[in-house]
Structure formats: C-alpha cells, structure tokens
Amino acid sequence: MDVQQLAEYRYRTVREVLGGSPIGEVAARYGTSRQTLHTWRRRFELEGMPRLLDRSRRPRNSPTRLSAEVEAEICELRRRHPMHLWQVDLVGGVPLADGRECKMVTGVDDAPEPELSIEVVEPPALPPQGTAVEFKVRVPPSGEITLVTGRQRVGIHQALAGRTLTVWANHRSVHFLLDGHPVTTVPSRLRPEDLAYLTMRYGARPAGPEPAPAALPRARSGTAILAAGEPVEVDRKVHRDGIVHLASGRYQVGFALASGTITLRLDGHLMHAIADDALTGTWPCPVPADRLGQIEGPRTATSPLPPPPLPAGAFRAQRKVHASGRFMINGQSIKLGPRHAGKLVTVVIEDTHYQSLHGEDELAVRPRKNREPITRLYVKGMGTQQGPSRTS
C-alpha cells in the first residue's frame, strides 16, 4: 500500500482502540500485534495523524563520506586532467579450440590526436563440473532477475525490489540469500560456460559450502527425481482471496495469509502450510505421490515441522534456572523448584501470564504481575548465550 493508505490503515486501528474496543481484538482483526498498536496509539496521541507515517531511516551522519576538502581536490583534478576517451565497446572475437571465445575491447581516443585501440581479452577457463560460484545482484522493480539470457531467469518477490541479494550457483541449484538468510532456491540450468560468463559479468568468485538444501535433481523430461516417501517443499504466493495455486489446482489456505508467501510441505497424505517459521495449517495432500516431481520449484524438506504460531501479542524468551530453582523475567521472579536448577527453559510471554516450557514439557504457568506493554526485554538471559540480545 502507498503512504496515504498506510496512514489511513493505522488511523482506523487507533480510532477503534481509542473508541473502547479491546486492543487484542483490534490487533487480531487487522493482522498486527498489541505492541505495534500501543506504539501507533502513543504516536497519534503525541503528534497526531502525521506521526503515523514511518520516519526516515536515513542515517544522520556518514562516517565514510569524503570531506569537503577532498571532494574539492577531486573536482579540481578532473578539470585539470579531463577524460578524452569517448567510446569503448566490447565485441565478439576469435573462437578458441576449447569452445571459448576471446573478446575484443575497442576504444577511440581523440586526444591529442584521434586513435583507435584494440585489445584481445581472453575469457576465464571453464570451471570443472560441480564448481559453485557466488556473487551479488540487485533486485529490479519487476522482481525478475536474468542471470544468463535465454537460460536462467528467476522471479523474486517485488517486496525485495532494490535490495542486494547474494547468489550461490552451481550446475544443480541456484540459491538467493538476503543477509545470509535463504530467500529462494531454484533448479540450475547453468552450464560450465555460463558460470564462466557470470564470473565476467558479475565478478563471481568461488563459493563456499552450499547455504541451503540443494534443488531436487531432474530427469531429461524435466520431472524432479524423488525417493519413495520423501517429503518436498514449495514456495507459493497467497492471493488476495487466500488461494494458492499448486499443480494446476486452487487451494484455500486462509485470508490471514493473503498477499504473503508461504511454504507448502507435501508429506505423504498431508499438506502443511508454513509461514514466518510457524505451522499455520494442515490439510489432506491434493497432489498424488507420482505427480510430486512435476510441480514447479520443489526442494527436499530437511528440517522438522515448526510449532504452531504463538497467540496474538505473545513472544518467547529463554532463561536458565538458577540453583535456587528460580529465574527472572520482566522484573518478576518465577519459581520452578530446585529440581529444575540448571535447565534452559523457554518462557512464552502472553498478555496475562508466563508459560514455562522445557522442550515440549510445560513446567509452570504463572500470572503476570506487571501487565504493562513490554518495550525492552532480554530475549536470551544470562547463561543462554555469550552476549545478551535485546528486542524492543
């Protein structure tokens, strides 16, 4: 949505809360959290409607920016030593015995007298089969990234337009990562000469270990090769009506997931929907086992199913139980007993209570004494990691 629609959307939520509607119900109905609604209401009460818009995240200063003196010196050097070269071109050249082709770089220079220069550039050697390369690309507004024209084109969600992704590619898989986190994986159609082309075009370099499960191998017909009983996952965009398209069929997964991207896990006779690392639904699998290899974009499912999502407004924290059998959370002491000393417990923080879990076992449920909105909390307490992290 545009800026004006975003402001009106937040204004409606704030007006309902100020009108007396329970904040939990409003948050669930508008698909947001209680903490976010508290923030919007506080902003509106302080500065009104304009404060409901997002503030610019542009940094107030740039430590790496050149000083005014250095910028002035660069401009002066450009004036004293103008660039007279006015045309450079890269054209096809001489074929080599190994199938590669040398390129010729031509240049025209008009100073002090017009000159034509030609230089032959030898392409890099073809990498051996199985070699992986890594490079960076920027997502265009359309979301369509063309790695090699006519051979490998990948669609990325338009919400990532303008972001820089890291591409890991070999003869089998192409992975796209954002800040080290996998975005999507597609089967590779790249040949060794294409990897050499990527080295020239993007400055690709030899890659490290594969960052995500490899795409499924495919037969010459294009059908993915699956082991018997092997679960697969596919990513699908949810349309406005809560529908996803899979294997020429339309399936309802829920309006709450509309306009987002979910992972569908097809495991035997069941189909699971995963969104934001949480299990959001399970249905009978609509695709027969003998047709799983024909769906678009399948990959091997290597991780276990995630747990269901937390209740609206809830979140998790970790604490290590002290020798006394207690731990602190949000300024409140929770007693579990000495027999739990040393255990690493997960605390589910909800509006009215704390739920303490050890693995899948529930240890205790205690009421919250302070029910004010939590604005700062150590998600991982002392003894759970080397350096504590915070969330706001």
Side-chain angles (χ1 to χ4, degrees):
M1 61 181 69
D2 58 26
V3 174
Q4 186 60 34
Q5 290 175 331
L6 180 62
E8 292 177 356
Y9 163 78
R10 293 176 176 177
Y11 177 72
R12 290 197 300 270
T13 62
V14 170
R15 293 304 304 174
E16 289 195 26
V17 173
L18 294 178
S21 298
I23 194 168
E25 294 181 5
V26 177
R29 190 164 60 251
Y30 281 86
T32 185
S33 66
R34 295 170 54 90
Q35 302 293 333
T36 302
L37 276 185
H38 279 297
T39 301
W40 291 349
R41 183 180 65 178
R42 185 167 57 252
R43 289 181 181 178
F44 180 77
E45 291 174 343
L46 290 176
E47 302 180 30
M49 186 78 168
R51 188 61 185 87
L52 293 178
L53 299 176
D54 291 329
R55 290 180 174 177
S56 173
R57 298 186 179 181
R58 179 180 179 182
R60 297 183 180 180
N61 53 60
S62 179
T64 59
R65 181 176 180 178
L66 297 177
S67 64
E69 293 78 8
V70 175
E71 289 185 7
E73 181 66 20
I74 293 174
C75 293
E76 181 61 26
L77 289 173
R78 287 178 175 175
R79 284 191 291 269
R80 292 202 305 263
H81 305 284
M83 181 67 174
H84 297 285
L85 185 66
W86 59 274
Q87 182 175 342
V88 175
D89 196 9
L90 179 68
V91 296
V94 182
L96 302 179
D98 61 0
R100 296 180 297 156
E101 185 181 48
C102 289
K103 298 293 184 179
M104 293 189 297
V105 180
T106 62
V108 178
D109 192 344
D110 64 349
E113 295 180 359
E115 294 181 358
L116 174 64
S117 63
I118 301 178
E119 182 177 353
V120 178
V121 179
E122 181 181 357
L126 296 181
Q129 184 74 8
T131 298
V133 297
E134 192 174 75
F135 54 93
K136 295 185 180 297
V137 297
R138 185 177 293 274
V139 182
S142 64
E144 296 290 334
I145 298 177
T146 301
L147 300 181
V148 178
T149 303
R151 183 165 298 279
Q152 188 83 55
R153 185 179 183 184
V154 182
I156 303 295
H157 198 285
Q158 289 180 312
L160 296 178
R163 304 293 296 271
T164 298
L165 303 182
T166 299
V167 182
W168 189 103
N170 66 1
H171 71 286
R172 177 174 172 178
S173 307
V174 180
H175 304 281
F176 290 82
L177 302 100
L178 176 63
D179 299 331
H181 301 285
V183 173
T184 187
T185 296
V186 297
S188 174
R189 300 185 179 93
L190 302 175
R191 302 172 299 186
E193 53 266 35
D194 296 325
L195 297 180
Y197 167 77
L198 294 173
T199 301
M200 291 193 304
R201 179 179 179 185
Y202 294 105
R205 59 190 180 277
E210 194 159 4
L216 294 174
R218 292 182 176 271
R220 290 187 177 181
S221 62
T223 301
I225 303 174
L226 295 174
E230 180 180 7
V232 299
E233 292 181 346
V234 294
D235 294 329
R236 289 294 185 267
K237 182 178 180 180
V238 184
H239 296 268
R240 293 182 179 180
D241 52 3
I243 296 290
V244 296
H245 294 271
L246 181 68
S248 302
R250 292 162 49 89
Y251 305 100
Q252 176 70 248
V253 296
F255 292 98
L257 303 174
S259 301
T261 299
I262 65 172
T263 297
L264 296 177
R265 177 175 299 190
L266 310 176
D267 188 359
H269 63 285
L270 296 177
M271 178 176 73
H272 308 282
I274 302 171
D276 297 327
D277 296 324
L279 179 64
T280 59
T282 299
W283 305 270
C285 183
V287 184
D290 58 352
R291 293 184 55 198
L292 288 179
Q294 302 175 11
I295 60 179
E296 182 181 354
R299 63 178 181 271
T300 304
T302 58
S303 59
L305 276 177
L310 295 173
F315 50 95
R316 297 176 185 264
Q318 287 186 330
R319 293 294 184 269
K320 187 173 183 180
V321 182
H322 189 262
S324 63
R326 298 175 178 268
F327 66 86
M328 295 294 295
I329 182 77
N330 193 29
Q332 181 175 335
S333 176
I334 303 295
K335 182 178 179 180
L336 298 180
R339 69 181 183 278
H340 299 297
K343 290 183 178 179
L344 184 64
V345 298
T346 299
V347 186
V348 179
I349 305 173
E350 300 194 33
D351 293 339
T352 60
H353 64 274
Y354 300 108
Q355 182 186 21
S356 302
L357 305 173
H358 184 248
E360 299 296 329
D361 299 328
E362 181 180 271
L363 302 182
V365 176
R366 299 289 186 268
R368 280 180 58 178
K369 296 180 180 179
N370 182 2
R371 300 188 182 181
E372 293 295 321
I374 299 175
T375 59
R376 183 168 292 272
L377 176 78
Y378 283 98
V379 174
K380 293 190 176 182
M382 184 179 301
T384 64
Q385 63 172 20
Q386 292 182 354
S389 60
R390 294 182 177 182
T391 185
S392 301

